Amino acid sequence: MNRQDTRTVESVRQIFTTFNFEFYMMKISLFVVSAFILVNCKPSVSDLVSAPLIPKPISIVSDGDFFMLEESTEIFIDSGSPSLNAIAQNLQKKIKAATGFTLKIKIISTKSETGIYFTQSTDASLSEEGYQISISEDLIAIRCYKPAGAFRAVQTIRQLLPPSSESNPKQSLSWKMPTGKIIDAPSYSYRGVMLDVARHFFSVAEVKQFIDLIVAYKINVLHLHLSDDQGWRIEIKSWPNLTLHGGKTEVGGGKGGFYTQEQYKEIIRYAQENFITVVPEIDMPGHINSALASYGELNSGTIVPTEGRVANDANTNKILDGKTKPTELYTGIRVGWSTLHLEKKSTFRFVEDVIREISAITPGPYFHIGGDEAQVTKKNDYVKFINRFREIVKANGKKMIGWEEIAQADINEEVITQHWNAAKYAIAANEKGSKLIMSPAKKAYLDMSYNSTSKFGLHWAAYIEVDSAYQWNPATLIDGISKENILGIEAPLWSETISNMDEVEYLLFPRLLGYAEIGWSKQENRNWNEYKIRLGKHAPQFESQRINFYKSNRVPWVSSK
Ligand code: TNX
């Protein structure tokens, strides 16, 4: 070989080596890129079983593939189920907010092979709110017995979309959903949350926002605590001072507020759209100072605690009739000191008018009469009063609900009792045939602080950490009371310490999800150690929705970053 040849061979080798080097570099980068894709595409996308659904469905089977939601995906409704139209529109709205896509809705008479297909079945074993979702590569089929089931299914589908999907539609994520089958139905038919709009007033817009928050977890009852010592929040046309005067303050002395009947109807309409039953509560015969301050004739000598007492002024006297002596308004947080004047005829005219006017604009089956902590009402009067109440509520076509103390009266299977504190009342109510709503303060009170450093909430019943809120079973809580005696569960959010949605969210999240699961999921499928991992995976969703949640260190929160 001459020198020329040697050089040629050398450069060929060099080319080869460089090529080889580049080849290896390419291989390495391919490996890095695929590893990156693997990590970032979350393999769980094609695993339906590991989707962190809350509440947990009855059964999930995955088949390892995925459905891709695209701009061209269509929503189909079985022509035999026209009542599913509104639900399809609701899903369309949610998907639009999430992805920017406006999916077309079509009514068809043969089963669809593609897109999202809603159909109603005559199979009653699916149950009132039950549903089945089958997801294949081309089709998401939703089957229900009643529209409520399809609506609950939509909430499941929302949770299967990528977490950030509801807040930032402009991003270029792929909208993949794992394939498989979900069969689901609730354990309890009553799954409620209560919002106290009396201690602090919350506007119609805020109540709607509240509904949006709870509905995502399949809660189906919103109990509105519409009156208390500190404020009367719903217009009663035959007793206008209740809101004109009794609605004008709140705990801490803020300006309070009230709903006109039209505004209340607007809340009801929005709730109905979300398959939520509104339970209105007028708390009597105690917790009634806002009415006593508005109409002196209802007052039999209630003494308003000095702390929080708002002295009547000349303006008050102009509004009120001046003939009888009204109490002062109250902005403190003491309980158990006020009572209606139960010996007067006008009191019953008042009770009848209030129940009649509210019942007339409430489509749901229930009317909550309060009945708690009537500590300054004589026992005999209390029993007579609750019995009379029962008749008035019934005459207005509603089923009466009352806090547990009503078990002292002649209640029966037509009445629902809400347990919050004493087992003896729950047992007595059960013996009288009254079904129970379980709201044990030590476990289910959303206004209890998480721990001693919490900024909001009270702690007279307990500090309720996220695990404690989850770890109880309504059906074994009280000896002698089992699942068939229970209508459902409710988590009340009293508002003495909270006055805006940020604060509401802080007490609500993340405990709300646990209560939703207690009410919906099968007890044997519930387990804190498994639940806390699912819950932790909801953090990116909370963050993208800007929900102000309590980041308990007992939950392994997943970071969205
Ligand atoms: C007790 S529970 C109350 C409410 C308070 C709440 C505060 C019940 C039926 N009555 O009036 O707001 O405690 O946690």
Side-chain angles (χ1 to χ4, degrees):
M1 242 199 292
N2 62 27
R3 278 185 64 174
Q4 184 59 39
D5 287 339
T6 324
R7 242 189 279 143
T8 314
V9 169
E10 193 47 39
S11 34
V12 168
R13 184 182 293 148
Q14 235 176 28
I15 289 171
F16 229 89
T17 326
T18 318
F19 181 78
N20 238 338
F21 175 73
E22 281 180 354
F23 179 73
Y24 279 114
M25 281 309 285
M26 235 168 80
K27 260 187 130 173
I28 291 170
S29 27
L30 255 175
F31 175 77
V32 171
V33 167
S34 357
F36 181 78
I37 289 175
L38 262 177
V39 168
N40 281 278
C41 276
K42 297 182 195 129
S44 63
V45 117
S46 56
D47 184 8
L48 193 58
V49 171
S50 61
L53 295 171
I54 297 179
K56 193 183 178 97
I58 290 182
S59 87
I60 311 178
V61 179
S62 14
D63 65 13
D65 220 317
F66 61 83
F67 172 96
M68 179 87 89
L69 186 76
E70 289 163 329
E71 186 135 33
S72 58
T73 304
E74 292 177 308
I75 302 178
F76 299 101
I77 304 159
D78 175 0
S79 57
S81 325
S83 52
L84 300 183
N85 210 331
I87 295 151
Q89 282 172 21
N90 185 292
L91 177 65
Q92 180 194 44
K93 246 205 291 190
K94 290 286 182 306
I95 290 178
K96 168 135 203 209
T99 63
F101 305 157
T102 310
L103 308 192
K104 285 205 182 73
I105 300 182
K106 291 183 179 161
I107 299 179
I108 54 171
S109 54
T110 48
K111 184 181 184 302
S112 177
E113 302 296 330
T114 60
I116 304 174
Y117 176 61
F118 283 95
T119 181
Q120 216 169 329
S121 135
T122 51
D123 177 5
S125 72
L126 282 168
S127 92
E128 296 281 311
E129 291 179 279
Y131 64 88
Q132 294 182 356
I133 306 177
S134 299
I135 309 173
S136 63
E137 245 180 288
D138 302 316
L139 173 73
I140 300 180
I142 299 148
R143 220 162 73 91
C144 61
Y145 173 56
K146 288 281 167 67
F151 186 80
R152 306 295 169 223
V154 166
Q155 310 317 313
T156 302
I157 291 174
R158 287 172 64 191
Q159 287 191 22
L160 292 173
L161 283 164
S164 44
S165 64
E166 294 202 6
S167 62
N168 190 5
K170 298 287 174 290
Q171 61 195 309
S172 54
L173 277 170
S174 58
W175 312 101
K176 284 178 174 178
M177 255 180 268
T179 53
K181 185 162 182 176
I182 298 175
I183 297 177
D184 206 4
S187 281
Y188 292 99
S189 62
Y190 184 113
R191 305 177 307 278
V193 175
M194 189 203 82
L195 179 62
D196 172 5
V197 296
R199 269 52 175 274
H200 278 101
F201 180 67
F202 292 89
S203 67
V204 173
E206 287 171 321
V207 175
K208 286 185 179 176
Q209 210 182 321
F210 190 84
I211 290 175
D212 290 342
L213 294 173
I214 62 176
V215 83
Y217 308 100
K218 304 186 173 72
I219 296 293
N220 67 355
V221 174
L222 171 63
H223 168 183
L224 287 176
H225 185 74
L226 290 166
S227 69
D228 213 302
D229 291 321
Q230 298 86 345
W232 188 282
R233 307 298 180 206
I234 178 153
E235 174 191 24
I236 303 295
K237 294 192 194 278
S238 51
W239 298 74
N241 287 350
L242 290 171
T243 43
L244 280 180
H245 182 65
K248 69 181 186 202
T249 191
E250 60 186 6
V251 168
K255 67 180 179 26
F258 66 91
Y259 312 119
T260 62
Q261 293 199 358
E262 282 311 308
Q263 287 172 323
Y264 175 78
K265 285 191 216 164
E266 173 62 17
I267 293 174
I268 300 272
R269 194 198 53 72
Y270 193 74
Q272 276 182 317
E273 236 176 72
N274 284 284
F275 290 81
I276 291 240
T277 299
V278 171
V279 174
E281 177 188 353
I282 296 296
D283 203 348
M284 302 187 254
H287 287 276
I288 194 73
N289 187 64
S290 56
L292 310 184
S294 308
Y295 289 96
E297 65 209 82
L298 303 173
N299 177 26
S300 68
T302 284
I303 298 163
V304 180
T306 44
E307 126 285 326
R309 183 189 289 170
V310 182
N312 290 344
D313 54 18
N315 198 29
T316 310
N317 295 331
K318 254 188 273 161
I319 298 172
L320 306 177
D321 64 9
K323 280 181 267 165
T324 48
K325 196 153 172 31
T327 58
E328 299 89 351
L329 290 171
Y330 180 63
T331 60
I333 64 166
R334 285 188 47 195
V335 295
W337 49 267
S338 60
T339 185
L340 278 172
H341 193 338
L342 297 179
E343 276 122 49
K344 273 177 102 179
K345 265 213 172 111
S346 53
T347 297
F348 288 94
R349 194 166 45 80
F350 163 79
V351 170
E352 275 168 13
D353 289 342
V354 168
I355 295 180
R356 188 189 64 253
E357 287 197 30
I358 297 177
S359 295
I361 52 175
T362 303
Y366 304 114
F367 191 101
H368 200 309
I369 56 91
D372 59 314
E373 298 174 318
Q375 290 155 20
V376 295
T377 312
K378 285 187 220 96
K379 168 96 190 273
N380 280 348
D381 285 351
Y382 178 83
V383 168
K384 264 198 287 183
F385 181 79
I386 299 295
N387 290 349
R388 185 115 178 236
F389 237 162
R390 196 194 61 220
E391 294 312 312
I392 300 170
V393 171
K394 190 174 170 186
N396 282 282
K398 300 291 173 198
K399 214 173 165 88
M400 182 172 101
I401 306 180
W403 295 106
E404 65 189 20
E405 291 93 326
I406 63 161
Q408 299 167 93
D410 302 326
I411 57 168
N412 54 29
E413 69 290 342
E414 291 174 352
V415 171
I416 312 281
T417 305
Q418 187 163 8
H419 163 70
W420 63 278
N421 188 34
K424 68 169 185 194
Y425 289 138
I427 292 164
N430 187 42
E431 277 164 5
K432 294 178 180 183
S434 170
K435 280 245 158 79
L436 293 159
I437 295 169
M438 303 302 272
S439 307
K442 284 185 173 53
K443 288 290 185 185
Y445 266 29
L446 278 162
D447 69 316
M448 292 297 119
S449 302
Y450 293 97
N451 58 47
S452 61
T453 66
S454 297
K455 196 159 153 216
F456 302 105
L458 302 170
H459 57 269
W460 63 265
Y463 288 114
I464 307 182
E465 249 296 348
V466 185
D467 53 351
S468 174
Y470 182 80
Q471 288 174 297
W472 62 284
N473 175 1
T476 55
L477 192 71
I478 299 174
D479 276 349
I481 306 231
S482 51
K483 188 157 183 273
E484 57 278 15
N485 312 126
I486 297 171
L487 183 65
I489 88 154
E490 185 180 293
L493 180 54
W494 303 100
S495 64
E496 285 95 333
T497 66
I498 50 172
S499 60
N500 60 51
M501 285 310 283
D502 241 32
E503 296 162 4
V504 163
E505 285 174 0
Y506 183 76
L507 289 176
L508 207 54
F509 285 85
R511 290 181 293 199
L512 166 72
L513 284 74
Y515 298 132
E517 180 148 309
I518 294 173
W520 181 281
S521 305
K522 283 196 178 307
Q523 179 64 29
E524 59 268 31
N525 287 346
R526 298 205 300 113
N527 161 342
W528 165 254
N529 283 324
E530 183 272 334
Y531 170 75
K532 72 179 178 194
I533 294 171
R534 257 184 302 131
L535 178 60
K537 292 181 183 163
H538 282 247
Q541 175 75 298
F542 298 159
E543 279 159 9
S544 76
Q545 283 182 257
R546 299 205 164 66
I547 289 174
N548 179 29
F549 69 106
Y550 163 60
K551 247 186 157 161
S552 167
N553 60 15
R554 302 188 188 189
V555 179
W557 299 108
V558 161
S559 160
S560 53
K561 308 280 162 351

